[in-house]
Amino acid sequence: MLTLAAPVTAQELDSTATSLSFYVGGHQDDWQLFRGNAAHADLTAPGRRVVFIYATAGDAGRTDGWWEARERGALESVRAVLGPGPITLDVAEMHDHPIVRYTFKNSVSYMLRLPDGRWRAGDGYASTGNESLNQLRDTDKPVSAVDGSTTYVSWDDFW
């Protein structure tokens, strides 16, 4: 169950946390495939706060609900480790860019929702204007989130 909430401050997240782990990936299933054991250990470690950052929507150029399902799957993967409970949804502002944030127990997940760059080629998909992080980095071609929430105009703006 997702519940809407007001933005959460760092102090409100977990005042008892003594350590912090980050998992940054391009897609919603990267940590499960490549760092699942480590993420599980971090999520279940006492006093540990875990941050997941997903750079792309994992859309593969699709507009049929694919990326939304992948996002829900990433959240349910965290819930599978931590057990039942409500997931809180809000929007964080980072350097003038709104970013969807889900908070659940000792974890927080940031969804940048940028379009997939297309495997190997990095030239994006027609459905998202052939935008990609590769093109943003290499040519400063702006890239917009698939939900239209924000646009990064340069690599420095994104970075």
Side-chain angles (χ1 to χ4, degrees):
M1 175 180 90
L2 295 177
T3 56
L4 294 175
V8 179
T9 66
Q11 294 79 18
E12 293 172 316
L13 288 176
D14 187 352
S15 60
T16 64
T18 57
S19 62
L20 183 63
S21 296
F22 283 88
Y23 291 86
V24 182
H27 306 102
Q28 294 74 12
D29 57 3
D30 288 351
W31 67 265
Q32 299 94 324
L33 292 171
F34 306 114
R35 300 287 296 156
N37 290 344
H40 185 280
D42 286 339
L43 285 164
T44 57
R48 175 114 1 123
R49 188 97 179 121
V50 182
V51 178
F52 297 96
I53 301 172
Y54 303 94
T56 76
D59 61 294
R62 296 171 63 165
T63 59
D64 60 357
W66 178 256
W67 70 264
E68 295 94 332
R70 290 188 70 170
E71 189 168 291
R72 285 189 304 275
L75 299 171
E76 290 303 324
S77 292
V78 174
R79 192 191 315 254
V81 174
L82 296 177
I87 297 174
T88 302
L89 165 65
D90 69 348
V91 176
E93 284 285 330
M94 296 190 186
H95 301 288
D96 298 321
H97 294 283
I99 299 173
V100 171
R101 173 175 56 194
Y102 295 96
T103 305
F104 180 60
K105 297 187 179 183
N106 65 321
S107 74
V108 62
S109 297
Y110 293 95
M111 308 290 185
L112 279 66
R113 295 180 171 171
L114 297 175
D116 266 348
R118 187 184 295 214
W119 186 66
R120 289 193 184 175
D123 58 355
Y125 292 91
S127 62
T128 53
N130 293 99
E131 296 177 2
S132 71
L133 283 171
N134 283 11
Q135 291 193 51
L136 178 69
R137 182 194 62 216
D138 297 343
T139 68
D140 275 339
K141 178 182 180 181
V143 62
S144 298
V146 298
D147 64 355
S149 60
T150 195
T151 299
Y152 296 91
V153 297
S154 69
W155 189 250
D156 286 339
D157 186 30
F158 171 72
W159 191 249

